[in-house]
Amino acid sequence: MAVGIIGYGAHLPRRRIKVEEIAKVWGADAPSYKKGLELREKSVPALDEDTITLSVEATRNALARAGIDAKDIGAVYVGSESHPYAVKPSGVTVAEAIGATPDCHCADFEFACKAGSEGMFVAYGLVKAGLIKYGLGIGADTSQGAPGDALEYSAAAGAAAFIMGADDDRMIATIDDSYSFMTDTPDFWRREHQFYPSHGGRFTGEPAYFRTVTGAIKGMLEKSSMKPGDFKYVIFHQPNGKFPKRAGKQLGFNFEQIDVGRLVPTLGNTYSGASPLGLTAVLDVAEPGDRVLMCSYGSGAGSDAFVLTVKDRVREVRDLAPKTRWMLDENVTYLEYGEYAKLRRKIRLAAH
Amino acid sequence: MRDVAVIGVGMQKWGELWAKSARDIFVESALLAMDDAGVDKIDSMYVGCMAPGVFDAQEHLGSLMADYLGQRNIPSTRVESACASGGLAFRMAYMDVASGMHDIVLAGGVEKMTDISGSDATHALATAADMKWEGVSGVTFPGLYAMMAVAHMEKYGTTREQLAHVAVKNHDNGSMNSRAQFPMKITVDGVINSVKVADPLNILDCSPITDGAAAAILVPADMVKKFKKPGVKVTGSGHATDTIALHDREDLTTLAAVNAAAEQAYKMAGKGPSDMDFVEVHDCFTIAEIIVSESLGLFERGKGGPAAESGETSLTGRMPINPSGGLKSKGHPVGATGIAQVVEITEQLRGEGGPRQVKNARVALAQNMGGSGGSSVVHILEVM
Amino acid sequence: MPPARSWRAYPQVYRLEAARCKKCGKVSFPPRLVCNKCGEREFDRFNMKRTGKVVTHTIIRTPSDEFSGEAPFAVGVVEMDGGGRLTTQIADVSFDELKIGLPVQMEFRRLYTEGDAGVIHYGHKAVPIRQ
């Protein structure tokens, strides 16, 4: 039984802030940040947008493409490191809003930037096991970087949702194989009650991101007996513009394979949404028969890799919801740092 | 039903009355009305008050006010219909007397609004809207009337300047009213350039937040001769409701409850809009006076704005509106407003209007309104 | 707002559930027990379309405390395609594009939050349709 994606959707906030605008406030050198991170601007959620609201909108776009009754969704998984509540699930609000309750399993995942692919993996696995008809996996975040920290230039917001199913006639892309790679690597963390995360600086690079991502992709290729040249597109986790390019080069992928799913230069790092959003951008343009490799990364650390084959239906459904690059490039407004600080609740307000 | 007359009214200066409590200001006005009528014992009373629990952490005003007015043991009822609470209290008193149940009945109104912050007061007033289905959007009362203004401007070409003329005229009138909270004159430019509240309404388009009370004494018309002052007869009374939420109305540019209440009152009095010598209307916002003036039939639909601009509604115009200064200048302690309209009309019809006396006034109309027009009360009063 | 008060309206605020009168076809949002146009008591429940047009609008500049951090913000009455009217914030709009007839779609948003420790109330806001 072929199991895969029968619906996909993205949602991005409309606000952006440029690297220059952040650098100006902290006396940092914008050109060197832009070059070093290969990142020009990032998305910023409004005061009324959070992981739950972005997840609902991404899911509605996925449902528009899937053309199914939400009642048939048997599982809703939201992966995020910015769940609005410390205790109270995000998944039930998403499930309630789309009309999947009460005959539905919900859970929230957290694994730094890997939580989205976890939700996808579990939803896929449950459909494959025959336990549910359809499963919804969402990666969404409204991440915070500490003011002035390098992460502030990249921490962004966005969501991608995937409905997994086994209906041949609805199949947009089959998931042909998967592989995960996990170790205990403390490169990035946020303790309970802390507003901003902490990270290990350069330790986040070679021993963390690169070791894990290359480990996962090598394992995936070996397991599926495939080589980089077999893929039309590869999507990496993308904390900045440079890491996915460098990882791709190390593994033998060329820039054309990487670039379509590399949204970070104008989106920023959407954490749990990052590689899933890259996959939505690829599905927006992929042709039937294209092979796609996706590899997430979450600090702490681990990667989930998937091999997908795009099906004919992608042509019928991709115009049924807004495309990811359209949301990324059009219909955006730019903020000054003061507005950004207000929207991201970085300003201390009077107590009510 | 018995004919009913007003034989006494009372009201003190309105404003931010820091040193006085709700019961202080209510009892002071009630005593003025009783003294005006020459009575010290009443048979029944009604207290119009919108939200004492929210503004003042006090409910059970019927008993409280009767007790402090020295009228313990009489029937006393608090009446609530948002900003039309006062007008409705007057109607309840009217019905009480007309039915033959009681002879000397006090209709009073009070609101003590300034103890809480402006934003808390905004919230308290918003409870007159549909809190669940309008309030959830963050819309305020100025916001609801602003949305009526936008619709009225789109449909009829009503202008920003025309709205301002309502406020300017009411402040002109209020400048001659010693009881007004804001008796200063203002200009059209001043209104248009004042702080924005809810576009297109600015702060000088809005009635203020006020502490105040007012009271009237009603008796059977055939008993009037027993009292000190000439009676003013209540010849028409109307009360109607509309959808609580503005968005549930097919037409946002008219006020159906005002129209229906007015029709009842006109029919009862055997009079029409053109018979009115002046009117006191519920100008909680400048756009409200314009739409109300149309819904009362004083002007054709869409002509309320031009009428305000051309001076037709000024003290010396064809149809003076709000000689008292209206809610805009006099103030708007919500529960008291409907009673204060009766105070103004009674004094005018007795010829006690002073510098703002409407010449030869013999018939006048009071229109009080709750929420965004979810309720309205209209009374017609005439010289006996 | 106590949690129960928002919870019992989730079908309406989360899914825009309305009721269409079986006799006259008028759409009530939220559903009612009696049609306010014809008095009928039988309805069909359905979820409204999430697209519509602005019927009227304003910009709230002096809100109550719950919304103070968000001012100024646009509010409008929106007529949904296929029937039903509601009062809603209009988000992600530049104030000079606000006009009667503006096509909008309803997006899932936070409506307001009960301070730092209370419940987050979700629902819909209108945003201009740009695609």
Side-chain angles (χ1 to χ4, degrees), chain B residues 182-198:
Chain B
F182 290 111
M184 78 288 193
K185 293 191 179 199
I186 58 174
T187 63
V188 169
D189 277 352
V191 177
I192 292 172
N193 294 316
S194 63
V195 172
K196 289 180 178 183
V197 173

Side-chain angles (χ1 to χ4, degrees), chain B residues 48-375:
Chain B
C49 191
M50 175 187 161
V54 186
F55 283 116
D56 203 24
Q58 176 70 58
E59 305 285 6
H60 208 179
L61 287 212
S63 295
L64 173 69
M65 296 309 178
D67 181 7
Y68 273 74
L69 189 58
Q71 305 292 325
R72 190 161 60 163
N73 297 339
I74 69 164
S76 177
T77 307
R78 173 183 152 207
V79 178
E80 189 276 313
S81 188
C83 306
S85 299
L88 193 54
F90 184 80
R91 181 173 154 93
M92 294 297 111
Y94 165 79
M95 289 161 66
D96 199 353
V97 176
S99 71
M101 186 73 83
H102 293 105
D103 287 339
I104 303 175
V105 178
L106 183 141
V110 62
E111 212 80 47
K112 174 75 188 171
M113 302 172 73
T114 66
D115 281 355
I116 62 175
S117 71
S119 59
D120 285 346
T122 299
H123 177 81
L125 291 168
T127 62
D130 186 331
M131 283 300 282
K132 180 67 194 162
W133 300 106
E134 292 181 313
V136 74
S137 70
V139 74
T140 56
F141 253 95
L144 290 170
Y145 278 92
M147 292 200 291
M148 290 186 223
V150 167
H152 203 269
M153 290 163 124
E154 171 95 354
K155 185 167 180 183
Y156 296 116
T158 302
T159 66
R160 178 55 272 211
E161 286 72 19
Q162 288 166 355
L163 298 178
H165 277 284
V166 172
V168 170
K169 179 264 298 174
N170 285 346
H171 275 270
D172 281 348
N173 294 349
S175 71
M176 295 177 273
N177 184 348
S178 61
R179 294 178 298 213
Q181 181 180 13
F182 290 111
M184 78 288 193
K185 293 191 179 199
I186 58 174
T187 63
V188 169
D189 277 352
V191 177
I192 292 172
N193 294 316
S194 63
V195 172
K196 289 180 178 183
V197 173
D199 301 25
L201 301 181
N202 299 349
I203 189 76
L204 289 179
D205 289 289
C206 305
S207 56
I209 286 170
T210 311
D211 300 329
I217 307 290
L218 293 81
V219 299
D222 59 14
M223 281 175 58
V224 163
K225 292 181 295 291
K226 295 183 185 172
F227 301 95
K228 283 192 342 196
K229 293 241 179 122
V232 167
K233 195 171 166 186
V234 183
T235 57
S237 177
H239 175 209
T241 56
D242 196 358
T243 66
I244 183 82
L246 179 66
H247 60 237
D248 281 327
R249 304 192 194 141
E250 288 77 21
D251 187 346
L252 305 180
T253 63
T254 187
L255 289 159
V258 175
N259 188 259
E263 288 302 322
Q264 294 168 28
Y266 287 141
K267 190 176 169 198
M268 191 170 164
K271 294 258 183 326
S274 59
D275 297 320
M276 300 301 125
D277 293 321
F278 74 95
V279 297
E280 283 281 317
V281 307
H282 197 93
D283 61 317
C284 48
F285 302 94
T286 50
I287 184 63
E289 180 169 316
I290 287 173
I291 297 180
V292 165
S293 72
E294 296 169 7
S295 297
L296 288 173
L298 302 172
F299 302 101
E300 280 176 48
R301 301 274 295 271
K303 302 291 188 210
E309 187 169 26
S310 68
E312 278 186 87
T313 61
S314 74
L315 210 48
T316 54
R318 179 172 73 78
M319 178 56 68
I321 298 182
N322 286 330
S324 69
L327 285 55
K328 179 72 205 73
S329 168
K330 186 177 60 200
H332 184 28
V334 286
T337 285
I339 304 291
Q341 294 175 329
V342 172
V343 172
E344 177 71 13
I345 289 175
T346 300
E347 291 178 348
Q348 288 271 358
L349 295 184
R350 286 172 177 172
E352 297 169 358
R356 62 182 192 284
Q357 177 67 46
V358 177
K359 298 247 165 34
N360 307 316
R362 298 189 59 80
V363 186
L365 175 149
Q367 179 270 334
N368 192 197
M369 185 156 62
S372 59
S375 64

Side-chain angles (χ1 to χ4, degrees), chain A residues 11 13-15 46-50 52-54 56-57 60 84-85 88 92-93 95-99 101 321-323 326 331 342 345 349 352, chain C residues 10-11 14-15 50 65 68-72 89 91-93 105-111 113 118-125 127-128 130-131:
Chain A
H11 189 71
R14 295 176 179 86
R15 290 164 178 80
L47 279 172
D48 56 8
E49 291 177 308
D50 63 22
I52 288 175
T53 68
L54 298 173
V56 169
E57 289 302 317
R60 284 173 171 170
Y85 288 91
K88 186 187 177 302
V92 290
T93 306
E96 196 77 57
I98 63 170
T101 51
K323 294 200 175 103
W326 181 85
N331 187 20
K342 177 184 166 188
R345 301 178 196 279
L349 301 171
H352 282 303
Chain C
Y10 281 170
Y14 282 12
R15 299 191 291 274
R50 290 197 300 274
D65 275 343
S68 61
E70 296 171 50
Q89 273 190 39
D92 295 2
V93 67
Q105 62 190 14
M106 302 304 289
E107 270 191 18
F108 203 71
R109 297 286 177 119
R110 285 186 181 199
L111 298 184
T113 56
V119 172
I120 303 166
H121 298 282
Y122 292 94
H124 286 87
K125 294 183 181 179
V127 298
R130 298 184 203 276
Q131 198 171 28

Side-chain angles (χ1 to χ4, degrees), chain C residues 77-125:
Chain C
V77 172
V78 171
E79 170 105 26
M80 306 312 297
D81 295 337
R85 272 188 182 193
L86 46 79
T87 300
T88 174
Q89 273 190 39
I90 306 172
D92 295 2
V93 67
S94 70
F95 293 153
D96 52 15
E97 72 181 318
L98 270 179
K99 62 170 193 224
I100 292 172
L102 181 73
V104 291
Q105 62 190 14
M106 302 304 289
E107 270 191 18
F108 203 71
R109 297 286 177 119
R110 285 186 181 199
L111 298 184
Y112 60 96
T113 56
E114 308 267 355
D116 288 334
V119 172
I120 303 166
H121 298 282
Y122 292 94
H124 286 87
K125 294 183 181 179

